[in-house]
Amino acid sequence: MKEAVAVIENGGVLEILIDRPERKNALTAPMYRVMTAALAEAASRADIGAVLFAGRGETFCAGNDLADFMAGPDGAEAALDFIRAVARFEKPLVAAVQGMAVGVGTTMLFHCDLVYAAPDAAFVMPFVNLGIVPEAGASLLAPAVLGHAKAAAMLLLGEPMDAAGAERAGLVTALVPADRLLDHARAKAALLMAKPPEALLATRRLMKGDPASTSARIEEEARIFRQALQSPEAREAFSAFFEKRPPDFRRG
């Protein structure tokens, strides 16, 4: 548990529980590695039929731990490895989301098949605000799922989308009261386990379509992301965040 991620087997479903509530489940490089390894294990085992993502506490995931992320290239590469693993995972992915889902906390959901959210859930992709670009294929998948106008509000302006809006837009499967959220998601994952596995996986592949375009976009985003991290805009955005002041991108 030192990596702040719990991996639990539950009736053929592998649960990945982000367990760092004191930091709003912000992700570090070691946490990404644990989740990536869990996905690899689930992919390799015939007795695991689905994966369920959840977060402990009031927040699903606050995105990257920025201090860890900026400490060196290890954080960005660990995050990218996780994103690749989620995107290429062939079995059903289920998510239970409460509170804030920031950055990768939202973009990973575009790869999930069933997303259940508490009424207090909110989805934010503040990449441009930080002087960087989206990841996990979100620049491709967000417009496809949400429509261009809603995706532009989230990706260009960094505006949050509330749970009801996310359900209407198609990012969220259903809203569930917070006290029943995890049990509900577990029950739906158990239903997936009861389906004929070959038919289930084949149907999922058909629904996902050709994965090459998503993989190519993930790699293109990663290339531009690395460049953007070194930009004056990103330096100003991150400095302002740590100094708790508004950024000024027009000075100098």
Side-chain angles (χ1 to χ4, degrees):
M1 293 294 289
K2 65 181 182 300
E3 295 88 359
V5 175
V7 180
I8 306 162
E9 291 185 33
N10 186 3
V13 176
L14 198 70
E15 299 182 3
I16 300 176
L17 178 66
I18 307 171
D19 190 12
R20 200 186 179 204
E22 72 282 3
R23 296 298 300 271
K24 299 182 179 180
N25 290 333
L27 297 170
T28 64
M31 293 168 71
Y32 277 121
R33 291 194 197 97
V34 171
M35 295 193 295
T36 302
L39 288 172
E41 179 182 0
S44 69
R45 290 176 50 183
D47 60 328
I48 298 295
V51 166
L52 169 62
F53 287 105
R56 193 182 300 280
E58 297 180 354
T59 299
F60 173 66
C61 176
N64 289 307
D65 183 309
L66 292 185
D68 178 84
F69 193 76
M70 296 305 293
D74 193 43
E77 293 308 312
L80 180 57
D81 286 343
F82 170 71
I83 286 164
R84 289 172 176 146
V86 170
R88 67 171 177 257
F89 193 73
E90 295 186 346
K91 298 176 183 180
L93 294 169
V94 182
V97 180
Q98 79 286 356
M100 297 297 292
V102 181
V104 70
T106 288
T107 61
M108 65 182 288
L109 301 176
F110 290 112
H111 300 279
C112 292
D113 304 287
L114 300 172
V115 177
Y116 299 101
D120 71 338
F123 307 85
V124 191
M125 296 184 285
F127 301 103
V128 166
N129 294 351
L130 292 171
I132 53 179
V133 299
E135 28 81 323
S139 62
L140 176 70
L141 299 175
V145 172
L146 307 174
H148 182 86
K150 293 295 186 183
M154 295 188 74
L155 290 173
L156 301 183
L157 292 176
E159 291 182 352
M161 178 177 283
D162 64 18
E167 184 188 30
R168 289 193 300 270
L171 177 60
V172 166
T173 307
L175 300 184
V176 182
D179 61 349
R180 295 197 293 109
L181 177 64
L182 186 54
D183 286 342
H184 183 87
R186 283 172 169 160
K188 295 299 184 180
L191 286 176
L192 291 172
M193 281 298 301
K195 304 296 181 184
E198 294 302 321
L200 183 69
L201 296 182
T203 299
R204 187 180 190 269
R205 285 194 296 270
L206 290 166
M207 291 176 66
K208 290 287 186 179
D210 182 5
S213 59
T214 300
S215 295
R217 183 59 61 89
I218 288 171
E219 298 306 321
E220 183 181 8
E221 289 173 345
R223 177 181 60 81
I224 300 172
F225 192 103
R226 292 187 188 99
Q227 295 172 349
L229 274 179
Q230 308 304 317
S231 70
E233 291 181 349
R235 287 197 296 271
E236 168 61 13
F238 282 93
S239 294
F241 175 84
F242 289 118
E243 294 168 10
K244 295 180 170 52
R245 61 172 175 81
D248 182 357
F249 299 113
R250 304 296 179 181
R251 66 181 181 183

